[in-house]
Amino acid sequence: GIISASMKHDYLIRVLGANEKVRGFAVDTKGIVEHARLIHHNTPLASAILGRLMSAGLMMGQMLKSKEDKLTVQLLGDGPFKHAIITSNLAGTVRGYVSNPGVELPLRKDGHLDVSRAIGNGSLTVIRDMGLKDPYVSSIDLTSGEIAEDLTYYFAQSEQTPSSVGLGVLVDVDQTILASGGFLLQLMPNTDQKTIDQLEKNIKNFVGVTPYLSQGHSLEEMMDVLFEGFDHEVTDTMDVSWKCNCSFERGKEVLATLKREEIVNMIEEGKPVEVNCDFCQSHYRYDIEDLKEVLSHIDEQAK
Ligand code: ZN
């Protein structure tokens, strides 16, 4: 019914199956992508790009080891979107933006949003910040620009893990999000050929993430289809949500990374300064007293 459909929340499941030779993640991000659309005024294309990246990021965030670790996935292209970035974590929160959320392009001949043309040629970079001095950074050149295929390639190249990634965002004519989500399947080492063949068959026969979810199916049902012919069980279920960790204090820390003379100039101009968060469009205002505090912090650090 309408009520139960609107009550459905975003969530993520983790599945282990095929004699523990295959692990899977699936995520429903409809609410998160709609929230991002409202904040950033995303066109359907921007929703498609950001939604796919955020779904992927939430699943990849589950591969982090510690609660403090941070995952960043960045897309850089020479197409009209230029740049998209998301951050996620083990707790299942995500945020992100595209640098050019107003871009529209004609639909592809098959009626789909032309994501690969919107991104163009470029690279996909994964950054895992585990609180060490240097974060782990790995980058690949885009081969398809459809994001899911590029991530499949990323896992093969950078992590030597055979994977299959499916991502989708379905946008209504009024630009609201009808469905959004994804799956990620990974083979454990030494998986036998029979298992691989069956899994490939299942993936090939699968109708696709958004056609399936928009019919009202659950993630559990999606995994039943992808694990057809295998034993499998859901080992974890969690809520996922949009969350930005910016704050007035963090904005001050950003100001403190500027050159001393820049802060001095701001104080001399006597005008309050605004710091904007690209992720959530929050604006933080710093008056002269705040700037003086930043300046004394910079001087303190220089001692
Ligand atoms: Zn923010």
Side-chain angles (χ1 to χ4, degrees), residues 44 120 172 189 196 199 235 289:
D172 206 347
I196 296 170
L199 199 64
T235 57
E289 286 310 307

Side-chain angles (χ1 to χ4, degrees), residues 42 46 50 75-77 79-85 97-103:
N42 289 329
L50 194 55
L75 207 56
L76 270 172
F81 272 100
K82 295 186 169 59
H83 156 224
I85 185 165
Y97 67 94
V98 298
S99 55
N100 233 341
V103 170

Side-chain angles (χ1 to χ4, degrees), residues 23 25 56-74 85-90 124-139 151 154-161 163 184 186:
R23 75 166 173 177
F25 302 88
L58 283 166
M59 294 188 285
M60 292 166 76
Q62 293 310 300
M63 298 172 192
L64 296 169
K65 298 279 179 279
S66 138
K67 270 196 307 195
E68 286 76 32
D69 297 354
K70 271 180 295 200
L71 174 88
T72 302
V73 184
Q74 197 171 0
I85 185 165
I86 67 100
T87 76
S88 187
N89 52 47
L90 194 57
L124 181 142
T125 303
V126 176
I127 304 161
R128 283 200 299 252
D129 186 346
M130 294 163 287
L132 306 170
K133 199 162 139 261
D134 299 310
Y136 167 90
V137 182
S138 183
S139 199
L151 279 167
Y154 163 81
F155 281 114
Q157 285 295 307
S158 296
E159 307 198 2
Q160 285 79 47
T161 309
S163 309
L184 172 49
Q186 293 196 314

Side-chain angles (χ1 to χ4, degrees), residues 95 242 244-247 276-282 284:
R95 59 179 187 158
W242 170 282
C244 190
N245 55 3
C246 68
S247 66
N276 301 321
C277 175
D278 289 331
F279 284 98
C280 72
Q281 301 293 333
S282 289
Y284 298 100

